[in-house]
Amino acid sequence: MKDLNASIIRTACGKPFDLRKAAPLASNASAPYGRHNFIVYKTTNGFYLKGYNTGCNQNLLNAFELISRNEAMKYLQLPRMAA
């Protein structure tokens, strides 16, 4: 059975969010994992989250923070990386 706690994250300010109910807007989810990885989410209640990697090579994302809508929209304007 999948560990559902892996989908519940806590931001740097301590607020919990369920990523199963959030829509990814932009990402750079490429291997190997490292500081370049991020995913920007929009939650069902209108919050924007940025998940990112602080240098951990075992997990894609290991830190999360609330960001403004304006900051989230900037990530949509980043050029896409070639696969």
Side-chain angles (χ1 to χ4, degrees):
M1 187 164 125
K2 184 179 176 189
D3 179 13
L4 295 180
N5 288 331
S7 298
I8 308 294
I9 60 93
R10 202 168 282 281
T11 62
C13 65
K15 188 165 179 63
F17 288 95
D18 185 348
L19 293 183
R20 294 172 298 167
K21 298 178 182 177
L25 298 178
S27 72
N28 179 0
S30 58
Y33 300 150
R35 293 186 186 273
H36 61 279
N37 294 125
F38 72 88
I39 301 178
V40 175
Y41 298 93
K42 182 178 182 184
T43 67
T44 55
N45 52 354
F47 288 101
Y48 293 89
L49 302 172
K50 177 184 174 188
Y52 57 96
N53 188 305
T54 61
C56 172
N57 60 4
Q58 283 83 31
N59 299 327
L60 174 64
L61 308 173
N62 67 331
F64 296 87
E65 64 183 48
L66 287 169
I67 60 173
S68 69
R69 180 186 185 283
N70 287 341
E71 186 175 350
M73 294 305 118
K74 288 178 187 176
Y75 283 96
L76 292 173
Q77 297 172 6
L78 291 176
R80 303 258 181 215
M81 295 186 67

XYZ file of all heavy atoms in Angstrom:
649
model
N 0.839 -1.188 0.000
C 0.000 0.000 0.000
C 0.879 1.245 0.000
O 1.878 1.305 0.692
C -0.892 -0.022 1.243
C -1.908 1.071 1.267
S -3.176 0.679 2.495
C -3.107 2.153 3.458
N 0.499 2.223 -0.778
C 1.278 3.456 -0.886
C 1.182 4.268 0.401
O 0.133 4.354 1.016
C 0.748 4.287 -2.058
C 1.550 5.532 -2.298
C 1.024 6.303 -3.475
C 1.807 7.587 -3.616
N 1.253 8.473 -4.586
N 2.300 4.860 0.795
C 2.341 5.702 1.985
C 1.722 7.051 1.653
O 2.306 7.853 0.939
C 3.787 5.864 2.451
C 3.916 6.742 3.674
O 2.892 7.046 4.319
O 5.050 7.128 3.989
N 0.520 7.307 2.152
C -0.171 8.566 1.842
C 0.495 9.763 2.504
O 0.318 10.883 2.055
C -1.638 8.477 2.257
C -2.463 7.454 1.485
C -3.899 7.449 1.981
C -2.424 7.722 -0.001
N 1.269 9.545 3.570
C 1.955 10.660 4.212
C 2.954 11.324 3.273
O 3.297 12.475 3.450
C 2.666 10.200 5.482
C 1.683 9.904 6.588
O 0.614 10.492 6.655
N 2.033 8.972 7.447
N 3.406 10.608 2.252
C 4.346 11.183 1.297
C 3.690 12.287 0.477
O 4.363 13.122 -0.084
C 4.887 10.097 0.375
N 2.361 12.296 0.400
C 1.639 13.318 -0.352
C 1.295 14.537 0.494
O 0.923 15.563 -0.042
C 0.340 12.737 -0.909
O 0.632 11.691 -1.786
N 1.381 14.408 1.807
C 1.113 15.523 2.702
C 2.456 16.195 3.007
O 3.351 15.575 3.565
C 0.462 15.065 4.024
C -0.757 14.186 3.763
C 0.141 16.257 4.912
C -1.913 14.879 3.099
N 2.564 17.443 2.611
C 3.820 18.173 2.847
C 3.552 19.299 3.838
O 2.409 19.661 4.092
C 4.429 18.721 1.531
C 3.482 19.686 0.802
C 4.791 17.578 0.617
C 3.688 21.119 1.140
N 4.606 19.846 4.369
C 4.527 20.984 5.280
C 5.469 22.051 4.736
O 6.623 21.778 4.458
C 4.934 20.544 6.685
C 4.417 21.425 7.773
C 4.600 20.780 9.142
N 3.614 19.759 9.441
C 2.373 19.989 9.854
N 1.940 21.218 9.976
N 1.554 19.002 10.137
N 4.947 23.267 4.569
C 5.776 24.363 4.052
C 6.750 24.836 5.124
O 6.644 24.453 6.290
C 4.901 25.545 3.605
O 4.188 26.047 4.733
C 3.938 25.142 2.508
N 7.668 25.707 4.728
C 8.652 26.252 5.659
C 7.983 26.972 6.829
O 8.504 26.987 7.938
C 9.603 27.193 4.924
N 6.782 27.533 6.601
C 6.064 28.230 7.669
C 5.213 27.274 8.509
O 4.556 27.699 9.448
C 5.210 29.369 7.111
S 3.863 28.836 6.050
N 5.196 25.975 8.151
C 4.496 24.984 8.945
C 3.105 24.608 8.478
O 2.462 23.753 9.062
N 2.609 25.221 7.414
C 1.258 24.933 6.927
C 1.260 23.627 6.130
O 2.047 23.462 5.208
C 0.770 26.087 6.061
C -0.680 25.981 5.655
C -1.177 27.307 5.129
C -2.604 27.251 4.688
N -3.557 26.954 5.712
N 0.351 22.678 6.458
C 0.297 21.409 5.706
C -0.551 21.533 4.445
O -1.535 22.270 4.417
C -0.346 20.450 6.704
C -1.209 21.325 7.550
C -0.520 22.666 7.622
N -0.154 20.799 3.405
C -0.904 20.736 2.150
C -0.878 19.308 1.640
O 0.104 18.594 1.804
C -0.288 21.650 1.079
C -0.504 23.099 1.321
C 0.450 23.859 1.969
C -1.674 23.718 0.900
C 0.251 25.204 2.199
C -1.882 25.072 1.124
C -0.918 25.817 1.780
N -1.967 18.907 0.993
C -2.060 17.597 0.369
C -1.788 17.763 -1.121
O -2.608 18.328 -1.846
C -3.461 17.021 0.607
C -3.610 15.608 0.092
O -2.731 15.133 -0.656
O -4.625 14.979 0.434
N -0.640 17.289 -1.585
C -0.268 17.469 -2.990
C -1.121 16.649 -3.939
O -1.159 16.922 -5.133
C 1.215 17.135 -3.196
C 2.200 18.090 -2.534
C 3.622 17.689 -2.871
C 1.941 19.533 -2.932
N -1.852 15.653 -3.430
C -2.763 14.895 -4.291
C -3.897 15.774 -4.786
O -4.527 15.475 -5.800
C -3.350 13.691 -3.545
C -2.314 12.640 -3.187
C -2.919 11.590 -2.297
N -3.344 12.242 -1.058
C -4.140 11.678 -0.155
N -4.615 10.471 -0.358
N -4.464 12.317 0.946
N -4.156 16.882 -4.083
C -5.245 17.792 -4.460
C -4.720 19.079 -5.093
O -5.471 20.025 -5.268
C -6.077 18.128 -3.223
C -6.742 16.907 -2.621
C -7.507 17.271 -1.386
C -8.137 16.050 -0.762
N -8.830 16.368 0.469
N -3.452 19.116 -5.432
C -2.847 20.311 -6.030
C -2.488 20.020 -7.483
O -2.129 18.903 -7.834
C -1.600 20.709 -5.248
N -2.586 21.052 -8.318
C -2.267 20.909 -9.738
C -0.875 21.461 -10.019
O -0.598 22.616 -9.697
C -3.292 21.657 -10.577
N 0.018 20.656 -10.606
C 1.334 21.187 -10.976
C 1.199 22.168 -12.147
O 0.511 21.890 -13.119
C 2.133 19.954 -11.376
C 1.167 18.845 -11.513
C -0.115 19.246 -10.888
N 1.842 23.325 -12.022
C 1.801 24.343 -13.078
C 3.076 24.361 -13.909
O 3.030 24.579 -15.111
C 1.604 25.727 -12.467
C 0.327 25.983 -11.687
C 0.340 27.398 -11.126
C -0.885 25.768 -12.575
N 4.208 24.187 -13.265
C 5.501 24.242 -13.949
C 6.481 23.364 -13.187
O 6.357 23.211 -11.977
C 6.020 25.678 -14.000
N 7.444 22.795 -13.915
C 8.432 21.965 -13.228
C 9.704 21.823 -14.036
O 9.734 22.055 -15.238
C 7.864 20.576 -12.932
O 7.762 19.820 -14.115
N 10.718 21.427 -13.324
C 11.980 21.003 -13.901
C 12.339 19.723 -13.155
O 13.225 19.705 -12.332
C 13.064 22.059 -13.739
C 14.377 21.593 -14.332
O 14.471 20.498 -14.855
N 15.393 22.416 -14.227
N 11.594 18.688 -13.417
C 11.743 17.414 -12.715
C 12.625 16.482 -13.526
O 12.154 15.553 -14.166
C 10.380 16.799 -12.460
N 13.904 16.755 -13.535
C 14.824 15.940 -14.317
C 15.850 15.272 -13.410
O 16.177 15.773 -12.341
C 15.526 16.800 -15.369
O 16.221 17.859 -14.756
N 16.319 14.139 -13.823
C 17.328 13.391 -13.076
C 18.693 13.744 -13.635
O 18.802 14.109 -14.798
C 17.065 11.901 -13.199
N 19.755 13.648 -12.887
C 19.774 13.285 -11.473
C 19.217 14.417 -10.618
O 19.240 15.581 -11.015
C 21.253 13.054 -11.182
C 21.973 13.909 -12.170
C 21.095 13.939 -13.410
N 18.686 14.041 -9.457
C 18.093 15.025 -8.555
C 19.151 15.961 -7.996
O 20.270 15.574 -7.739
C 17.373 14.333 -7.397
C 16.250 13.421 -7.829
C 15.918 12.310 -7.084
C 15.511 13.676 -8.979
C 14.869 11.474 -7.472
C 14.469 12.853 -9.369
C 14.164 11.753 -8.613
O 13.143 10.937 -8.996
N 18.750 17.221 -7.825
C 19.666 18.221 -7.281
C 19.004 19.578 -7.187
O 17.795 19.713 -7.342
N 19.802 20.590 -6.963
C 19.301 21.953 -6.720
C 18.508 22.529 -7.891
O 17.787 23.495 -7.728
C 20.464 22.875 -6.383
C 21.107 22.541 -5.066
C 22.163 23.579 -4.700
N 22.883 23.183 -3.514
C 22.492 23.464 -2.276
N 21.396 24.146 -2.096
N 23.186 23.052 -1.245
N 18.620 21.978 -9.073
C 17.887 22.497 -10.240
C 16.418 22.074 -10.240
O 15.623 22.652 -10.966
C 18.548 22.009 -11.534
C 18.559 20.526 -11.676
N 19.509 19.746 -11.050
C 17.730 19.684 -12.325
C 19.261 18.472 -11.335
N 18.186 18.407 -12.098
N 16.039 21.098 -9.423
C 14.668 20.567 -9.439
C 13.688 21.473 -8.711
O 13.972 21.969 -7.628
C 14.619 19.187 -8.780
C 15.382 18.146 -9.550
O 16.247 17.506 -8.997
N 15.084 17.977 -10.819
N 12.519 21.679 -9.337
C 11.423 22.406 -8.691
C 10.112 21.990 -9.332
O 10.075 21.509 -10.463
C 11.594 23.929 -8.812
C 11.362 24.452 -10.201
C 10.083 24.804 -10.631
C 12.404 24.575 -11.099
C 9.861 25.283 -11.914
C 12.185 25.049 -12.385
C 10.909 25.399 -12.790
N 9.027 22.160 -8.609
C 7.673 22.036 -9.139
C 6.836 23.121 -8.476
O 6.917 23.310 -7.261
C 7.042 20.658 -8.866
C 7.882 19.537 -9.486
C 5.614 20.605 -9.422
C 7.361 18.142 -9.224
N 6.064 23.852 -9.270
C 5.155 24.875 -8.760
C 3.741 24.305 -8.841
O 3.345 23.789 -9.887
C 5.276 26.184 -9.564
C 4.249 27.199 -9.111
C 6.685 26.746 -9.441
N 3.017 24.369 -7.735
C 1.663 23.828 -7.639
C 0.659 24.934 -7.341
O 0.999 25.924 -6.692
C 1.553 22.847 -6.460
C 2.412 21.632 -6.536
C 3.674 21.612 -5.950
C 1.959 20.478 -7.152
C 4.457 20.473 -5.981
C 2.734 19.333 -7.191
C 3.983 19.338 -6.605
O 4.757 18.211 -6.638
N -0.591 24.712 -7.773
C -1.718 25.534 -7.339
C -2.657 24.605 -6.575
O -3.062 23.559 -7.089
C -2.465 26.165 -8.513
C -3.608 27.048 -8.040
C -4.317 27.720 -9.181
C -5.428 28.624 -8.631
N -6.192 29.227 -9.722
N -2.996 24.985 -5.348
C -3.865 24.150 -4.525
C -5.324 24.446 -4.842
O -5.651 25.466 -5.455
C -3.609 24.396 -3.025
O -4.029 25.713 -2.690
C -2.144 24.201 -2.669
N -6.203 23.564 -4.390
C -7.631 23.741 -4.646
C -8.200 24.970 -3.953
O -9.218 25.503 -4.378
C -8.426 22.497 -4.197
O -8.126 22.242 -2.827
C -8.086 21.293 -5.046
N -7.539 25.437 -2.897
C -8.034 26.630 -2.206
C -7.269 27.891 -2.594
O -7.325 28.897 -1.900
C -8.057 26.418 -0.689
C -6.744 25.934 -0.146
O -5.821 25.648 -0.898
N -6.640 25.827 1.156
N -6.562 27.852 -3.734
C -5.974 29.058 -4.301
C -4.582 29.439 -3.848
O -4.090 30.492 -4.226
N -3.924 28.597 -3.084
C -2.541 28.872 -2.691
C -1.597 28.381 -3.782
O -1.919 27.464 -4.535
C -2.181 28.156 -1.382
C -2.828 28.731 -0.172
C -3.945 28.120 0.383
C -2.336 29.871 0.431
C -4.552 28.637 1.510
C -2.929 30.398 1.560
C -4.045 29.778 2.095
N -0.430 28.991 -3.851
C 0.623 28.556 -4.764
C 1.791 28.073 -3.924
O 2.201 28.727 -2.957
C 1.064 29.699 -5.677
C -0.021 30.097 -6.637
C -0.961 31.059 -6.291
C -0.129 29.487 -7.889
C -1.979 31.414 -7.164
C -1.147 29.839 -8.770
C -2.061 30.793 -8.396
O -3.064 31.135 -9.261
N 2.322 26.912 -4.289
C 3.436 26.297 -3.572
C 4.590 26.077 -4.523
O 4.381 25.761 -5.692
C 3.041 24.923 -3.027
C 1.867 24.820 -2.095
C 1.537 23.358 -1.856
C 2.198 25.498 -0.785
N 5.787 26.212 -3.993
C 6.973 25.839 -4.754
C 7.672 24.740 -3.968
O 8.043 24.932 -2.812
C 7.918 27.021 -4.932
C 9.199 26.640 -5.665
C 10.161 27.802 -5.746
C 11.479 27.369 -6.338
N 12.478 28.430 -6.238
N 7.807 23.588 -4.601
C 8.610 22.509 -4.046
C 9.963 22.560 -4.724
O 10.048 22.783 -5.930
N 11.021 22.369 -3.969
C 12.353 22.443 -4.555
C 13.307 21.505 -3.837
O 12.984 20.923 -2.808
C 12.882 23.880 -4.563
C 12.941 24.535 -3.199
C 14.118 24.531 -2.461
C 11.823 25.153 -2.650
C 14.174 25.137 -1.207
C 11.868 25.752 -1.413
C 13.050 25.735 -0.698
O 13.101 26.322 0.543
N 14.482 21.360 -4.403
C 15.499 20.471 -3.872
C 16.638 21.320 -3.322
O 17.124 22.222 -3.998
C 16.000 19.558 -4.988
C 16.908 18.474 -4.490
O 17.904 18.740 -3.840
N 16.579 17.240 -4.815
N 17.061 21.020 -2.112
C 18.139 21.782 -1.471
C 19.514 21.138 -1.650
O 20.471 21.552 -1.010
C 17.857 21.959 0.034
O 17.800 20.670 0.637
C 16.569 22.720 0.269
N 19.585 20.125 -2.517
C 20.853 19.440 -2.753
C 20.808 17.976 -2.360
O 21.836 17.307 -2.345
N 19.631 17.467 -2.091
C 19.431 16.065 -1.715
C 19.324 15.225 -2.978
O 18.459 15.471 -3.805
C 18.153 15.952 -0.873
S 17.657 14.277 -0.524
N 20.189 14.224 -3.142
C 20.121 13.426 -4.362
C 19.232 12.186 -4.234
O 19.110 11.423 -5.175
C 21.519 13.041 -4.849
C 22.289 12.230 -3.841
O 21.771 11.864 -2.785
N 23.536 11.954 -4.148
N 18.571 11.993 -3.079
C 17.657 10.867 -2.910
C 16.216 11.220 -3.264
O 15.443 10.335 -3.603
C 17.671 10.341 -1.470
C 18.875 9.499 -1.137
C 20.070 10.360 -0.767
O 19.913 11.446 -0.232
N 21.259 9.882 -1.069
N 15.813 12.474 -3.156
C 14.433 12.901 -3.396
C 14.398 14.007 -4.434
O 15.286 14.848 -4.482
C 13.788 13.437 -2.119
C 13.725 12.401 -1.034
O 13.565 11.227 -1.301
N 13.850 12.829 0.209
N 13.335 14.003 -5.228
C 13.146 15.075 -6.209
C 12.958 16.413 -5.502
O 13.615 17.400 -5.830
C 11.941 14.776 -7.095
C 11.526 15.859 -8.076
C 12.625 16.105 -9.097
C 10.233 15.480 -8.766
N 12.052 16.456 -4.517
C 11.759 17.671 -3.756
C 11.927 17.377 -2.276
O 11.475 16.344 -1.799
C 10.319 18.133 -4.015
C 9.902 18.296 -5.472
C 8.421 18.582 -5.556
C 10.711 19.378 -6.150
N 12.553 18.286 -1.557
C 12.684 18.071 -0.118
C 12.383 19.328 0.695
O 12.544 19.328 1.903
C 14.057 17.501 0.237
C 15.188 18.462 -0.023
O 15.095 19.303 -0.904
N 16.255 18.339 0.736
N 11.913 20.389 0.040
C 11.525 21.615 0.744
C 10.369 22.263 -0.014
O 10.273 22.145 -1.240
C 12.706 22.582 0.828
N 9.493 22.925 0.734
C 8.312 23.545 0.142
C 8.081 24.910 0.766
O 8.338 25.094 1.958
C 7.067 22.672 0.367
C 7.155 21.347 -0.317
C 7.763 20.272 0.305
C 6.643 21.177 -1.592
C 7.856 19.045 -0.333
C 6.734 19.957 -2.236
C 7.341 18.889 -1.601
N 7.591 25.861 -0.035
C 7.253 27.184 0.493
C 6.044 27.741 -0.244
O 5.790 27.392 -1.398
C 8.432 28.136 0.382
C 8.857 28.444 -1.030
C 10.090 29.333 -1.093
O 11.079 29.056 -0.397
O 10.051 30.309 -1.866
N 5.301 28.584 0.446
C 4.208 29.322 -0.176
C 4.800 30.445 -1.004
O 5.743 31.106 -0.572
C 3.290 29.910 0.888
C 2.381 28.946 1.623
C 1.734 29.630 2.822
C 1.325 28.409 0.692
N 4.268 30.651 -2.194
C 4.719 31.759 -3.030
C 3.502 32.529 -3.518
O 2.377 32.042 -3.467
C 5.583 31.278 -4.222
C 4.791 30.325 -5.137
C 6.872 30.625 -3.742
C 5.529 29.943 -6.418
N 3.737 33.725 -4.011
C 2.641 34.551 -4.526
C 2.224 34.065 -5.913
O 2.959 33.352 -6.599
C 3.087 36.007 -4.613
O 4.055 36.154 -5.641
N 1.045 34.485 -6.320
C 0.561 34.151 -7.659
C 1.502 34.724 -8.705
O 1.817 34.067 -9.697
C -0.851 34.694 -7.866
C -1.415 34.377 -9.233
C -2.771 35.036 -9.488
N -3.340 34.641 -10.741
C -2.972 35.096 -11.935
N -2.024 36.010 -12.025
N -3.551 34.669 -13.039
N 1.979 35.949 -8.493
C 2.890 36.578 -9.458
C 4.175 35.769 -9.615
O 4.663 35.590 -10.730
C 3.227 38.010 -9.037
C 2.067 38.953 -9.253
O 1.146 38.661 -10.007
N 2.093 40.084 -8.569
N 4.716 35.299 -8.502
C 5.934 34.491 -8.587
C 5.650 33.174 -9.305
O 6.442 32.725 -10.135
C 6.499 34.222 -7.194
C 7.835 33.515 -7.232
C 8.480 33.351 -5.876
O 8.004 33.940 -4.894
O 9.472 32.603 -5.809
N 4.507 32.554 -9.026
C 4.141 31.301 -9.694
C 4.034 31.503 -11.199
O 4.485 30.666 -11.982
C 2.829 30.773 -9.123
N 3.436 32.605 -11.625
C 3.265 32.870 -13.053
C 4.609 33.080 -13.753
O 4.748 32.766 -14.934
C 2.358 34.081 -13.278
C 0.915 33.860 -12.836
S 0.144 32.430 -13.593
C -0.201 31.415 -12.180
N 5.615 33.573 -13.043
C 6.944 33.743 -13.638
C 7.529 32.396 -14.049
O 8.238 32.305 -15.049
C 7.880 34.443 -12.658
C 7.561 35.901 -12.469
C 8.493 36.534 -11.460
C 8.071 37.953 -11.153
N 8.899 38.557 -10.097
N 7.238 31.346 -13.277
C 7.743 30.014 -13.620
C 7.117 29.486 -14.900
O 7.733 28.688 -15.595
C 7.510 29.030 -12.480
C 8.500 29.214 -11.355
C 8.189 29.976 -10.239
C 9.762 28.652 -11.423
C 9.092 30.162 -9.226
C 10.687 28.832 -10.423
C 10.345 29.584 -9.319
O 11.257 29.770 -8.317
N 5.915 29.930 -15.237
C 5.287 29.514 -16.484
C 5.969 30.126 -17.695
O 5.814 29.643 -18.815
C 3.808 29.896 -16.488
C 2.935 29.131 -15.499
C 1.521 29.709 -15.480
C 2.915 27.666 -15.811
N 6.715 31.204 -17.477
C 7.372 31.910 -18.572
C 8.806 31.425 -18.803
O 9.448 31.853 -19.744
C 7.371 33.407 -18.303
C 5.971 33.974 -18.234
C 5.946 35.411 -17.767
O 6.978 36.043 -17.581
N 4.748 35.926 -17.545
N 9.308 30.521 -17.940
C 10.660 30.015 -18.117
C 10.735 29.153 -19.371
O 9.787 28.426 -19.685
C 11.080 29.156 -16.918
C 11.292 29.886 -15.597
C 11.602 28.871 -14.496
C 12.421 30.886 -15.709
N 11.833 29.226 -20.105
C 11.958 28.359 -21.286
C 11.982 26.894 -20.877
O 12.557 26.542 -19.857
C 13.288 28.780 -21.909
C 13.994 29.562 -20.880
C 12.995 30.053 -19.895
N 11.330 26.054 -21.647
C 11.297 24.607 -21.381
C 12.645 24.005 -21.729
O 13.260 24.361 -22.743
C 10.228 23.931 -22.225
C 8.866 24.515 -22.002
C 8.083 23.615 -21.127
N 6.749 24.190 -20.949
C 6.078 24.104 -19.845
N 6.586 23.502 -18.820
N 4.879 24.612 -19.737
N 13.100 23.077 -20.888
C 14.365 22.392 -21.161
C 14.099 21.223 -22.097
O 13.079 20.556 -22.010
C 14.982 21.890 -19.862
C 15.394 23.018 -18.942
S 16.268 22.415 -17.501
C 17.752 21.800 -18.265
N 15.009 20.974 -22.995
C 14.864 19.837 -23.901
C 15.043 18.534 -23.138
O 15.857 18.447 -22.236
C 15.913 19.938 -25.015
N 14.282 17.541 -23.513
C 14.352 16.233 -22.835
C 15.539 15.433 -23.306
O 16.078 15.578 -24.334
C 13.075 15.456 -23.080
